[in-house]
Amino acid sequence: MNFEGFISQYNPVMQALFATLFTWFVTALGAAMVFFFKEIKKKVLDIMLGFAAGVMIAASFWSLLAPAIEMSEKLGKNPWLTAAAGFLTGGIFLFAVDKIMPHLHLGLDISKAEGIHTSLKRSILLVLAITLHNIPEGLAVGVAFGAAAINQTNATIGGAIALAIGIGLQNFPEGAAVSIPLRRENLSRFKAFMYGQASGIVEPIAGVLGAWLVTIFIQILPFALSFAAGAMIYVVIEELIPESQLNSETDWSTMGAMIGFAVMMVLDVALG
């Protein structure tokens, strides 16, 4: 039995849990790079962040917005209005979380920390910044498995698995991008690893919640898919792309984004 057949045996909430545990595990693998490297070159980090941005942009359309528009039509809803409302609401939600949750983006001084003022250490603020990325990622995977279970759109188990694989791939460099800089903050390798992998633990929580909500309230599925897409695009535009282009050599991050987009597109078309 192939993996798709195996996971189809379970209800969508369990499917979302398995998938987001996988994405969290890949985050942990990336964080484990701190045991092998003490620092990460800025050029490499830019490529990693660009790759993550490309994956999330592609996933937002093929895995989330396109199925949302199709399902809206089948449910008799206005497809463009539902998709636009969900997309913008997702962005507004992340905007609000961004203003509330204390966090610090990579490469910035602690004086540039965002969110509610706090006395948290710089290392914790860096972890919270990546944790903020992972909330919409986990939600997107959970909603995708919920959509596949309802089976009223072109959303399929294969497509949901492709999304989980894509999110997992970009979680690897994100895990490394947290743990290795933390090592430079004078944390031990083990503590830097633990902080790095902890940034991904919100994905199973958000994934299970997303899958449960859309299977209980089927009518909200098109909105939920669009919401997840909007939240991911907000993270890309507000955080990943600016962070990847802090260096003057922006060509590297741009190529990383192109490769990430292509990889996610191939995964979705091939498996979806």
Side-chain angles (χ1 to χ4, degrees), residues 22-117:
F22 162 76
T23 60
W24 164 76
F25 176 71
V26 180
T27 302
L29 285 180
M33 292 300 100
V34 75
F35 293 112
F36 305 97
F37 304 98
K38 188 173 182 179
E39 61 181 30
I40 182 170
K41 290 184 178 180
K42 186 65 175 69
K43 185 183 296 184
V44 175
L45 180 59
D46 290 345
I47 294 171
M48 288 178 170
L49 292 172
F51 180 86
V55 167
M56 292 175 72
I57 292 171
S60 295
F61 176 73
W62 272 284
S63 299
L64 300 170
L65 279 175
I69 292 169
E70 182 179 342
M71 188 172 191
S72 293
E73 293 173 338
K74 290 190 176 182
L75 291 175
K77 299 177 182 291
N78 184 313
W80 66 263
L81 180 61
T82 302
F87 183 85
L88 293 175
T89 304
I92 292 169
F93 171 76
L94 256 291
F95 172 80
V97 175
D98 188 63
K99 296 303 178 185
I100 295 171
M101 179 186 288
H103 62 283
L104 177 65
H105 299 307
L106 295 171
L108 298 182
D109 185 80
I110 195 168
S111 62
K112 301 292 186 180
E114 300 180 19
I116 295 174
H117 179 72

Side-chain angles (χ1 to χ4, degrees), residues 169-244:
L169 286 175
Q170 62 95 38
N171 275 358
F172 184 88
E174 277 194 356
V178 178
S179 64
I180 295 176
L182 287 179
R183 176 63 176 157
R184 294 202 303 269
E185 301 288 326
N186 296 320
L187 272 69
S188 68
R189 292 183 188 274
F190 180 75
K191 184 172 286 189
F193 163 74
M194 292 303 294
Y195 280 10
Q197 63 83 29
S199 68
I201 201 65
V202 295
E203 289 195 5
I205 298 170
V208 166
L209 179 62
W212 178 76
L213 284 174
V214 299
T215 52
I216 297 297
F217 306 105
I218 296 176
Q219 291 293 320
I220 71 167
L221 180 53
F223 182 88
L225 288 164
S226 304
F227 179 96
M232 292 219 297
I233 291 297
Y234 180 90
V235 168
V236 169
I237 297 173
E238 203 275 337
E239 298 184 17
L240 290 179
I241 290 178
E243 287 175 23
S244 71

Side-chain angles (χ1 to χ4, degrees), residues 1-22 141 145 148-149 156-162 164-165:
M1 181 183 293
N2 59 29
F3 181 72
E4 185 174 334
F6 168 77
I7 202 168
S8 297
Q9 301 177 83
Y10 297 92
N11 67 61
V13 173
M14 289 301 297
Q15 292 171 0
L17 177 61
F18 292 151
T20 49
L21 284 174
F22 162 76
V141 173
F145 277 98
T156 63
I157 288 291
I161 292 172
I165 293 173

